[in-house]
Amino acid sequence: GAGVSQSPRYKVAKRGQDVALRCDPISGHVSLFWYQQALGQGPEFLTYFQNEAQLDKSGLPSDRFFAERPEGSVSTLKIQRTQQEDSAVYLCASSLSGQGYTDTQYFGPGTRLTVL
Amino acid sequence: AQSVTQLDSHVSVSEGTPVLLRCNYSSSYSPSLFWYVQHPNKGLQLLLKYTSAATLVKGINGFEAEFKKSETSFHLTKPSAHMSDAAEYFCVARAFGGGADGLTFGKGTHLIIQP
C-alpha cells in the first residue's frame, strides 16, 4: 500500500511569509509525528498526534509553529512569518497504534523548506 | 530524558569488508532502540529495532545490532559491505515513560563504501 506522503516536496519562501506543509499518513495509522531536520543533523521531534488530539508539542521551537490534524488523518504544519533559521527538511511519520513505544514509525520523504 | 551519541560522523570501508557503526545511549528509562537508514533524497527507512526481547537483533539487508545494557551501547554491524549500503545511518531511542513522545535521533553516521 501507499506510504506516508508529503507535499510540497520543496518550498521556497521569502522571510516573513507563511507556509503550510501537508502530511498524508498511512491509512489507519493512529499516531502522527512531525520532525525538523537541519542540514547535516539528525531529525528533531516537533509534535505528536494521536488521532486528532495533539498530545505533545514540546518540540515546537516557537509560537510561530502550529500543527493540526482535525479529522485524525491528514496533518498540516504551519509556520508563520518564516525566518531563515526555519530552513530545514520537515519530516512526517506515522505509526499504527497510539500506545506503543516500540511501534515502528514510517517516514515520508520530507518537505525541504528554504527561507530566503 | 534520553540522548543518543553516534561516535563517528563518517565511516569508510571497502566493499566486502565488515561494517561497524557505533552508538551509545543514555536514558533514565527502559528504551526502545532503532537504527534507521537515509539514502539521498529518500525517506528514512527502518533497519531494525530492539524492544527488550532478544538482545541481538537482526534487520534487513544483512544488518544486525546488539543491545548491551552494561555498556549502554547498540552498535550496528554487517559482515560484508555492499556499494548500495552507502547512506546516512541514524541510531534512535524512544523511552517508555520518559517524557517527550517522539524519537530521539543521534547526529548520524555517513557510511562511505570504497570500491
Side-chain angles (χ1 to χ4, degrees), chain B residues 50-57 67:
Chain B
Y50 165 76
T51 58
S52 77
T55 57
L56 182 62
V57 182
F67 173 72

Side-chain angles (χ1 to χ4, degrees), chain B residues 12-111:
Chain B
S12 180
V13 302
S14 297
E15 189 176 19
T17 64
V19 175
L20 170 64
L21 305 183
R22 299 181 295 164
C23 172
N24 286 101
Y25 70 92
S26 172
S27 175
S28 301
Y29 304 88
S30 300
S32 292
L33 297 166
F34 309 78
W35 277 96
Y36 278 84
V37 61
Q38 188 174 40
H39 291 273
N41 299 315
K42 291 191 176 181
L44 286 157
Q45 181 184 17
L46 179 72
L47 281 178
L48 50 81
K49 66 179 180 181
Y50 165 76
T51 58
S52 77
T55 57
L56 182 62
V57 182
K58 294 187 183 300
I60 62 171
N61 300 335
F63 284 96
E64 62 182 39
E66 186 172 8
F67 173 72
K68 292 186 177 180
K69 187 174 181 178
S70 60
E71 298 176 9
T72 61
S73 70
F74 190 57
H75 302 333
L76 181 70
T77 60
K78 183 173 180 177
S80 176
H82 191 272
M83 293 299 291
S84 61
D85 294 329
E88 192 80 15
Y89 290 79
F90 292 98
C91 182
V92 185
R94 193 179 190 200
F96 178 77
D101 285 295
L103 300 174
T104 298
F105 283 76
K107 291 188 181 299
T109 297
H110 187 62
L111 178 61

Side-chain angles (χ1 to χ4, degrees), chain A residues 25-36:
Chain A
I26 294 172
S27 178
H29 276 198
V30 170
S31 296
L32 185 145
F33 304 80
W34 283 99
Y35 295 85
Q36 180 190 60

